[in-house]
Amino acid sequence: MSQAIQSEGPAAEFTRPLLLTPGADRAGWLAAKAGRAALLLVAGASVVAVLLIFFFIAREAIPFFQERGLGEAASSTHWYPEDATAPQFGMLALIYGSVSVTVGALILAVPLGILAAVVLSDIVPFAVRQCVKPVIELLAAIPSVAFGVFAVKVLAPLMQERLGLPTGTNALNASFVLALMATPTIVSVAEDSIWAVGRELREASYACGATRAETLLKVVLPAAHNGVIAAIVLGMMRAIGETMLVWMASGNACQVPAPWWDLSQSVRTLTATVAGEMGETARGSLHYHSLFAVALVLLVFSLGLNLLTERLLSKARKSAGAHA
Amino acid sequence: MITRGLAVTLAAAFVVLGVTAYWAQAQTTRPSMPPAAAASAPAPKAAPMDKAALQIDGSTTVGPIAVEFVEAFKKLHPDVTITCKQTGSGDGAAALIDGRCQIATMSRFMKPEEFKSAVEKGEMPVAHAIAMDGVCMIVHPSNPVKALTIAQVHDIYTGKIANWKELGGMDAPIVVVSRDTSSGTYETFTHFVMGKDKLFDKVEYVNANPQAHARVSTTAGAIGYVGLGFVDTKVKALPIDGVMPSRKTVQAGTYPMTRPLFLFTNGYPKLGSVEHAFCTFYLTEQGQKIIEAKGFVPVTSY
Amino acid sequence: MIEVNEMPQRKVLAAGTAAKTTDVKMANYVPQAAGPEQQLPAIIRADRFSLYYGSHAGVKDITFDIYPRAVTAIIGPSGCGKSTFLRSINRMNDLIPNTRAEGTLCVNDVNVYDRRINLANLRQQVGMVFQKPNPFPKTIYANVAYGPRLQGVHGRALDEQVEQCLRHAALWEEVKDYLDRSALGLSGGQQQRLCLARALATQPNVLLMDEPCSALDPIATAKIEELIISLKDEYTIVIVTHNMQQAARISDRTAFFCLGELIEYDQTKVIFTNPVRKQTEEYVTGRFG
Ligand SMILES: Nc1ncnc2c1ncn2[C@@H]1O[C@H](COP(=O)(O)OP(=O)(O)OP(=O)(O)O)[C@@H](O)[C@H]1O
Ligand SMILES: [Mg+2]
């Protein structure tokens, strides 16, 4: 058979050359090198920029640590930087404030956000999801000042009247409003990843006789855990870095409340301290440098949190048995 | 991982772009400034009245007055371009010293450190007191307490008095509200009330007069302090040491917590310059009306 | 089933009837109800069943009885609605937005499109192997154990069940030392066999297989076919395949679908040797076009 074809005439010709010409080969090699160099440059610039920011903050913070050391900042809760005779720079209360408000926000926002994401992706009809999703994404764009005004004008009086708290601007209020603000971000990112799990896996689970709840809990969420954790990290970063809102909602009392878990008392965060005090300090004063030290603590803190979640994430990934 | 790396890269690239853009802008705007910073003598920058550019920066308390001044001033001198920023007294002072502005608005007098760095640059800040401000103690309108003394306010803010019933009021904890520690209002308040003592750690801080007003007007047990201009019917201002804060008592100086508001210039402005016209605007009838409209008290009255 | 015969108005397309009564050949066509399982009532019955994707019909007007303890093959050109029909039996199409069913489709005399249907129980008893392998991103063990765990099986019993199912699916020897590795690390064919093991592990009564061998090599295919033949003593198996020889080898009855309609349904040997419809003949002899 094949002989017959050969004898009838030549096979179809390869009209395009299969080998590169030396010139084209060299050009391709050069283009690859140049592209790689350009990418490296951009990547390097970004790393340099991050380092520069870090360096700048650290440089302005160093005079503070030189003069006061680390001990006071890490052990004392007294933050009286402007005191004329004996200024005090204890950051413990500020750290406590940041942590309590962030943790409080996450406790509220994470279950709510993931629940909403699941509802959107798996429970409501597709058309509803298509309408609601953009609206939620729009919510993520509301400026934090708006939330702050809501916290002061609506939520604070409400808490005073309904819960009988003496003050409405407190850690609970800040946590709640931060949660409100972070939830759309969490919903949006988590929903994307839950949606991306795809019909095939859901079908596989249903075909084993699983109910919807079992499918969601045992298959969909574990399969989407990367995106879900990314959503939580994003929400957390939004919460811990938020300034304007906590400055308005948290009351800014520089204290560690008497039972430390009492969220109904006012607290002050690291961010609020920097933002609130930077404008009016005399440049170059100890107070000025101390604010950079606070910023440095915040930076180290969020970096540490990021690394921690990254670690947890890889652990979760391993236990889920995705890629060995 | 790859996408995250890319996102970080992009974000950082934007930061770099922003920084360079800002730097480039700073580079181009610097030379257009009068070269006074380089000159060793405190030579006032005498800009001719027409086509002059004026930069104002500083306090958020004085800012509203300055903005209104600029509005009115532009009508009188349409060729003058004025930019007016409200960043804070400290930033205003730093900007004046660095030559980034010609007039700094400040709700406090310059600090020794600021003076020192100005003098080191060969500059001589000059203060113009343009208005008076009274710091009023305010409580919720439902609060039955009728009057306070400086000593009582002091004890409230140090935590020694924690419940209104100790002052003859209702049985409710006192929610103590203060302005942020770097505001001029705070400094005036601590100067008159606290002396060397510190505010105790349950004191809440808000970063603007309207917010202090909002906190007190919505919290039954709260006490706070604001500038005279922010007292209205939603809060109750209390007489201090028997003197009710009012325009009269502030102007006369009988109200115990009274402070001046300042404009600062580098050297006394040359007669006929824009700076001079602006820094004396508070003396005109129009300037006084603006000051009153903003809730402060003019230093002179016709 | 006696009732079937008592309901003449129902257009039963039992084994041995052609799709359309208008068919010219129908007159000389003698329904052959031969076979050892003839006396058993049908376990799956479709009556004028249609399934629409939006306005487009995936399958239309299918009337079709599937008998227990037998292998029923569904053949037909690509896109003719084989998967659609198969996936309707355990309501898998529910997950696709805008699908709509018409007519009735009964499993064990219960209409699966009844509003009161217990979907979890239906799907547990009507297992499915999908056209594309879809293992969970979990370990091999967890994949197979998924169904039994839902039913509350634990410990040694679970281990044994997992092993047995993996053996049935001809996968045990390859993975027995790697049970806690990710299932995503398996090859396509191994994944498909894993999915088969997973489906077996739920211990269904009916097993729906959508081209289970399309990604398998001849050895694994032979093993699966062996398994299917051994399973049919207890289970009802419906298998979609593009492999004519496979259908001929393993199935008792064969249905031929084309363009969303059931063209012919008969004993497998009839379909492959003496089909009633010309279309069927052309398809099974490879002259379809
Ligand atoms: N998710 C869907 N949405 C819309 N139409 C669909 C969907 N799935 C299938 N269809 C349509 O339904 C018809 C039947 O598809 P089906 O998947 O049942 O074919 P099939 O016989 O299984 O083909 P193959 O042998 O290629 O798997 C096709 O015309 C197809 O376009
Ligand atoms: Mg198919």
Side-chain angles (χ1 to χ4, degrees), chain A residues 46 49 80 82-83 88 160 166-167 169 247 251-255 265-266 268 276-277 279-280 283 310, chain B residues 4 12 16 88-89 91 98 100 108 111 175 180-182 196 198-199 201-205 207 215 218-219:
Chain A
S46 67
Y80 293 108
E82 287 282 287
D83 197 89
Q88 286 175 289
Q160 284 155 198
T167 173
T169 53
W247 179 224
N252 299 307
C254 195
Q255 58 162 343
Q265 302 199 31
S266 289
R268 186 192 306 192
E277 299 181 3
E280 305 260 345
R283 189 179 299 182
E310 197 83 21
Chain B
R4 185 179 312 169
V16 171
S89 297
D91 280 349
D98 289 354
R100 280 182 283 121
R108 57 168 169 82
K111 290 183 183 172
V175 176
D180 50 303
T181 53
S182 38
K196 282 203 156 50
K198 290 170 184 144
L199 275 64
D201 63 2
K202 280 197 165 31
V203 174
E204 295 184 15
Y205 295 86
N207 68 339
R215 286 292 296 133
T218 57
T219 310

Side-chain angles (χ1 to χ4, degrees), chain C residues 75-216:
Chain C
I75 58 173
S78 190
C80 68
K82 305 182 296 293
S83 301
T84 303
F85 179 73
L86 204 66
R87 290 161 50 86
S88 300
I89 298 173
N90 65 349
R91 295 268 306 258
M92 258 320 132
N93 287 325
D94 288 15
L95 291 186
I96 301 169
N98 295 325
T99 52
R100 183 166 51 84
E102 271 177 18
T104 55
L105 179 57
C106 295
V107 171
N108 208 19
D109 282 335
V110 174
N111 186 1
V112 297
Y113 281 89
D114 193 316
R115 290 181 57 201
R116 283 176 30 240
I117 192 89
N118 181 333
L119 281 176
N121 285 354
L122 170 74
R123 287 163 177 165
Q124 184 260 309
Q125 293 170 97
V126 182
M128 183 161 211
V129 179
F130 293 84
Q131 187 162 0
K132 279 183 242 152
N134 53 357
F136 300 127
K138 298 170 183 280
T139 63
I140 293 171
Y141 183 91
N143 261 278
V144 183
Y146 184 75
R149 273 182 180 152
L150 293 177
Q151 297 164 28
V153 182
H154 287 292
R156 279 203 59 79
L158 183 60
D159 290 348
E160 277 163 21
Q161 201 171 333
V162 169
E163 177 179 343
Q164 193 197 346
C165 293
L166 282 171
R167 279 190 194 283
H168 272 321
L171 191 60
W172 176 252
E173 291 303 322
E174 288 160 68
V175 301
K176 63 180 176 197
D177 297 327
Y178 314 110
L179 288 180
D180 51 0
R181 287 215 185 148
S182 167
L184 299 183
L186 297 175
S187 77
Q190 288 173 326
Q191 287 187 4
Q192 186 64 309
R193 278 177 282 156
L194 182 68
C195 294
L196 177 57
R198 186 177 64 190
L200 291 175
T202 59
Q203 300 186 309
N205 302 1
V206 178
L207 194 54
L208 309 174
M209 299 190 184
D210 200 346
E211 298 182 41
C213 300
S214 58
L216 302 189

Side-chain angles (χ1 to χ4, degrees), chain A residues 255-313:
Chain A
Q255 58 162 343
V256 177
W260 60 266
W261 39 263
D262 183 3
L263 288 183
S264 73
Q265 302 199 31
S266 289
V267 295
R268 186 192 306 192
T269 65
L270 295 162
T271 49
T273 306
V274 175
E277 299 181 3
M278 192 58 97
E280 305 260 345
T281 54
R283 189 179 299 182
S285 65
L286 192 60
H287 185 194
Y288 174 83
H289 290 302
S290 76
L291 292 180
F292 277 91
V294 170
L296 193 68
V297 168
L298 181 67
L299 200 71
V300 168
F301 225 76
S302 46
L303 212 71
L305 269 178
N306 232 335
L307 287 178
L308 191 76
T309 31
E310 197 83 21
R311 176 69 55 84
L312 286 179
L313 172 124

